[in-house]
Amino acid sequence: LAHRIKAHLIIAFCSYKLHKKLERQLMENKLNLIVEKAVKIMLSIFTVTTKLPISRKSVQLIMAKTLEQQRLHIAFNVKY
C-alpha cells in the first residue's frame, strides 16, 4: 500500500509541474489562454503522413486549421 501512495504522489506532483510549466509558457507567449483550453485546442491538432508520388518520400503535415491552433503551433515551435 505504501508504494501505491508514493506512486500516486509522484504522478500528482508531475502533473502539477506540467500544468504550471504550460501555464507559464502560455503567459510568456502572451496567448491569453488557460491551461485547460490550451490542452483542448492542442488535442484537436492532427498530423497527416503522406508519400510524395515521384520521390516516394514520406512527409508529415500539421493540420492546424483554426487561428487558435495556429497560434499554439507557432508559440511552441512544434517540429516533426
Side-chain angles (χ1 to χ4, degrees):
L1 183 64
H3 68 282
R4 288 184 181 179
I5 294 170
K6 185 176 179 181
H8 177 78
L9 289 173
I10 290 170
I11 291 169
F13 178 75
C14 290
S15 176
Y16 174 76
K17 289 293 285 180
L18 287 171
H19 187 277
K20 295 310 277 182
K21 182 165 179 71
L22 180 55
E23 186 176 69
R24 189 181 77 249
Q25 288 179 332
L26 290 169
M27 281 188 229
E28 286 174 1
N29 286 297
K30 298 177 180 71
L31 290 175
N32 198 28
L33 290 171
I34 62 171
V35 171
E36 291 77 13
K37 173 86 174 175
V39 169
K40 185 176 179 182
I41 294 167
M42 286 181 209
L43 288 172
S44 67
I45 299 174
F46 296 95
T47 60
V48 175
T49 304
T50 187
K51 277 193 178 176
L52 299 175
I54 296 173
S55 67
R56 307 299 291 162
K57 180 181 175 185
S58 289
V59 293
Q60 287 186 331
L61 306 170
I62 299 171
M63 305 301 288
K65 294 181 179 181
T66 69
L67 181 60
E68 288 178 321
Q69 290 173 334
Q70 292 168 5
R71 287 175 54 214
L72 278 170
H73 179 259
I74 291 166
F76 290 99
N77 196 22
V78 177
K79 302 235 191 258
Y80 288 89

